Amino acid sequence: MAAAPLRVLACGDVEGRLEALFGRVRTIQGKSGRFDMLLCVGNFFGSTSETEWAEYRAGAKKGRRGLYSGASGLQIVYLSGIEYQDEPAPAYSFSAKDVEELKTSLLSTPDFKGVDILLTSPWPRGVGTFANSAGEIDTKKCGSKLVSDLAASLKPRYHFAALEKAYYERLPYRNHTVLQETPQHVSRFIALANVGNTSKKKYLYAFSIVPMSLMDPVELVKQPQDTTENPYRKSRKEAQKTKAPLHAEEEPSCQFFFDLNKHQGKKRPSDGKERGDFQPKQAKKPSKTVGPCWFCLASPEVEKHLVVSIGTHCYLALAKGGLLPDHVLILPIGHYQSVVDLSSEVVEEVTKYKSALKEFFRSKGKRYVLFERNYRSQHLQLQVIPVPLDHCTSEDIKESFIAQAQEQQIELLEIPEHSDITQVAQPGTPYFYVELDTGEKLFHRIRGRFPLHFGREVLASEALLALPQRADWRRCAAERAEEAAQARAFRRDFQPFDFALRA
Ligand SMILES: [Zn+2]
């Protein structure tokens, strides 16, 4: 029996900006329905007046450290403040002793498996090890080693932190050693920016979760494809040897919980499936093609002069008759039909190419729009087309796709930002999807016919790139010499971003 998931919002440093926070929460609830709970991490108070705070005080709970388990059955552990080396730790800070006591109280429960949610102010030191880049934040230097130690012991399914004025969602990591220990659930770390920040960094994170105590044990330990090694396995030993340094942060920081049902009406029955529940997938071998394939790198048909980067499992090639000179394709080297068929190591490299291309295009003041059509195509092609940032917003792009889809009776649905195509598409079924470099995705399950050039046509339309004359690639043929020159130029510019060259 599946329990109904709880809908939770997590929020970064509030810094006293309660009006901004609750305004945003109301908007989100207006759009997507009620949430059950709002969790705040990082610096809560800032320097705002008491009155603004007083209004919301009734629905909030706070404390320095402990376990909060409401009627929902969710186990939420929180540790307030910043790391402090010496005893006694001042208010708004925690010491090694606090962390030790918190661990002991939880780990002594019989059959302790982990907690649902961990809230800390600082990031755990080293969280970026084995993971996707945290952007400007150097995860080796930032954050608290005590928090890493706590996270390693408590195995939270979700761990939220703040204080760095940055948003970072780490790839999930595993809590067991493969083939040596029984599989356990994965952990996800999410750092949130400060409320109302001017650079529009994400500070609210919505997710649904079924308390682990109510979950089917098999469901609970399912491993998403992009799961990485545990970042703390090494640092745990080190933490015992070296004394943790003082975090150079002076602002007081606290955790707060808001029960959104208490003051805002009845709980809405939840319908969303928890996003952590991926279908486990067997790694597949590339399949054999029937005829010659234009995209298998080993195939004599492949146009080698268009290839701009070659990794271990994937490569990049300029699109033939591209919409723009830097319209590029991410392609698996072996023969795979769609993203859904990829084995995990290929997926991993696709992800690396996506982030390299994101950085590359961002350095040129552009964002990429990526799409895949798994319909009447043999070999997976992820089409990546850059759009100038000042030309349109990500909302404009999504709206253009949705509107132009509607005109053709195509239902394009926005799927949760952090979910994976493999969760919504079944192997063997045709689909089309668009993805922005922010991770936002629109998905269409193809049931009947589908216009083959839809993605390109939307991008070429007046609303976006305004290049209607280039909508059809067959009319964009270029001389081989010109193609080769464009590929050379791309290779040269992309070089600093190309991980394949450093391997
Ligand atoms: Zn192929």
Side-chain angles (χ1 to χ4, degrees), residues 435-480:
E435 181 179 324
L436 303 187
D437 70 4
T438 49
E440 293 160 280
K441 295 181 195 75
L442 301 170
F443 179 84
H444 170 64
R445 158 94 197 271
I446 299 175
R447 290 199 166 81
R449 294 180 64 81
F450 185 80
L452 293 181
H453 308 298
F454 178 71
R456 180 168 174 142
E457 279 162 5
V458 176
L459 280 156
S461 71
E462 292 299 336
L464 297 176
L465 290 165
L467 295 166
Q469 73 285 1
R470 298 194 68 86
D472 187 344
W473 71 275
R474 289 162 297 193
R475 286 194 286 160
C476 300
E479 294 292 327
R480 194 184 165 91

Side-chain angles (χ1 to χ4, degrees), residues 409-422:
Q409 272 92 46
I410 296 165
E411 189 186 35
L412 257 189
L413 295 175
E414 179 146 22
I415 63 168
E417 209 166 301
H418 305 282
S419 61
D420 193 277
I421 288 304
T422 52

Side-chain angles (χ1 to χ4, degrees), residues 17 50-51 89 220 283 309 404 436 453 464 500:
R17 309 184 66 171
E50 269 291 293
T51 43
L220 179 65
S309 167
Q404 293 183 49
L436 303 187
H453 308 298
L464 297 176

Side-chain angles (χ1 to χ4, degrees), residues 196-493:
N197 66 81
T198 46
S199 34
K200 302 231 159 118
K201 289 179 197 156
K202 194 177 173 83
Y203 65 86
L204 266 179
Y205 183 91
F207 65 110
S208 13
I209 183 168
V210 174
M212 62 192 291
S213 56
L214 303 176
M215 271 186 81
D216 172 52
V218 179
E219 284 286 311
L220 179 65
V221 302
K222 278 185 178 171
Q223 309 284 306
Q225 279 188 358
D226 50 359
T227 303
T228 77
E229 288 303 320
N230 190 307
Y232 311 128
R233 286 261 159 152
K234 237 187 279 165
S235 66
R236 228 155 128 190
K237 271 188 201 147
E238 286 165 14
Q240 285 161 357
K241 275 184 237 155
T242 44
K243 248 196 161 184
L246 175 66
H247 193 288
E249 177 71 58
E250 281 167 29
E251 291 278 5
S253 315
C254 289
Q255 264 68 47
F256 284 86
F257 308 91
F258 289 93
D259 184 337
L260 293 173
N261 290 310
K262 209 168 210 163
H263 300 275
Q264 301 182 17
K266 280 216 173 120
K267 186 170 152 188
R268 174 182 166 275
S270 304
D271 44 13
K273 200 171 183 281
E274 194 201 351
R275 69 165 195 87
D277 302 344
F278 287 67
Q279 297 293 321
K281 242 163 37 73
Q282 300 287 316
K284 285 185 188 162
K285 289 267 172 298
S287 54
K288 290 254 159 26
T289 55
V290 197
C293 178
W294 291 91
F295 299 108
C296 282
L297 196 55
S299 155
E301 312 291 327
V302 80
E303 303 224 33
K304 299 228 163 42
H305 69 288
L306 292 171
V307 173
V308 290
S309 167
I310 303 177
T312 313
H313 306 284
C314 303
Y315 70 102
L316 296 183
L318 289 190
K320 199 164 177 62
L323 182 53
L324 296 164
D326 46 3
H327 173 174
V328 65
L329 310 177
I330 306 175
L331 302 144
I333 290 173
H335 190 77
Y336 292 89
Q337 193 186 327
S338 76
V339 157
V340 180
D341 299 318
L342 296 181
S343 60
S344 57
E345 65 269 30
V346 187
V347 170
E348 205 173 291
E349 202 168 87
V350 167
T351 310
K352 277 165 90 174
Y353 268 123
K354 281 191 206 169
S355 34
L357 286 170
K358 175 179 174 168
E359 282 184 42
F360 168 61
F361 286 127
R362 288 283 167 141
S363 77
K364 293 176 169 283
K366 298 173 189 174
R367 69 157 61 81
Y368 74 62
V369 179
L370 173 153
F371 59 88
E372 182 199 349
R373 166 176 53 80
N374 177 30
Y375 171 73
R376 292 177 58 187
S377 71
Q378 273 207 43
H379 189 116
L380 164 65
Q381 301 154 54
L382 296 173
Q383 308 265 344
V384 181
I385 296 174
V387 179
L389 281 166
D390 55 10
H391 203 79
C392 48
T393 65
S394 58
E395 283 306 311
D396 293 336
I397 297 170
K398 282 195 285 183
E399 275 168 27
S400 298
F401 269 97
I402 292 169
Q404 293 183 49
Q406 265 169 1
E407 281 169 22
Q408 306 192 48
Q409 272 92 46
I410 296 165
E411 189 186 35
L412 257 189
L413 295 175
E414 179 146 22
I415 63 168
E417 209 166 301
H418 305 282
S419 61
D420 193 277
I421 288 304
T422 52
Q423 288 173 274
V424 284
Q426 291 299 313
T429 58
Y431 60 83
F432 170 85
Y433 83 93
V434 195
E435 181 179 324
L436 303 187
D437 70 4
T438 49
E440 293 160 280
K441 295 181 195 75
L442 301 170
F443 179 84
H444 170 64
R445 158 94 197 271
I446 299 175
R447 290 199 166 81
R449 294 180 64 81
F450 185 80
L452 293 181
H453 308 298
F454 178 71
R456 180 168 174 142
E457 279 162 5
V458 176
L459 280 156
S461 71
E462 292 299 336
L464 297 176
L465 290 165
L467 295 166
Q469 73 285 1
R470 298 194 68 86
D472 187 344
W473 71 275
R474 289 162 297 193
R475 286 194 286 160
C476 300
E479 294 292 327
R480 194 184 165 91
E482 193 190 335
E483 289 177 341
Q486 284 175 350
R488 270 196 304 276
F490 190 101
R491 242 175 265 137
R492 181 197 59 217
D493 292 358

Side-chain angles (χ1 to χ4, degrees), residues 71-123:
S72 61
L74 266 193
Q75 290 224 316
I76 306 174
V77 170
Y78 59 98
L79 176 68
S80 285
I82 52 165
E83 182 174 313
Y84 198 79
Q85 231 176 346
D86 303 310
E87 291 290 344
Y92 305 121
S93 69
F94 57 84
S95 63
K97 194 167 159 252
D98 286 308
V99 170
E100 211 45 54
E101 282 173 12
L102 188 55
K103 266 165 56 178
T104 314
S105 67
L106 287 150
L107 298 178
S108 58
T109 357
D111 303 325
F112 176 84
K113 287 195 192 76
V115 299
D116 289 306
I117 299 172
L118 172 64
L119 307 174
T120 62
S121 291
W123 291 28

Side-chain angles (χ1 to χ4, degrees), residues 184-206:
Q184 299 187 45
H185 60 270
V186 301
S187 293
R188 293 162 195 279
F189 172 75
I190 296 135
L192 294 163
N194 45 319
V195 169
N197 66 81
T198 46
S199 34
K200 302 231 159 118
K201 289 179 197 156
K202 194 177 173 83
Y203 65 86
L204 266 179
Y205 183 91

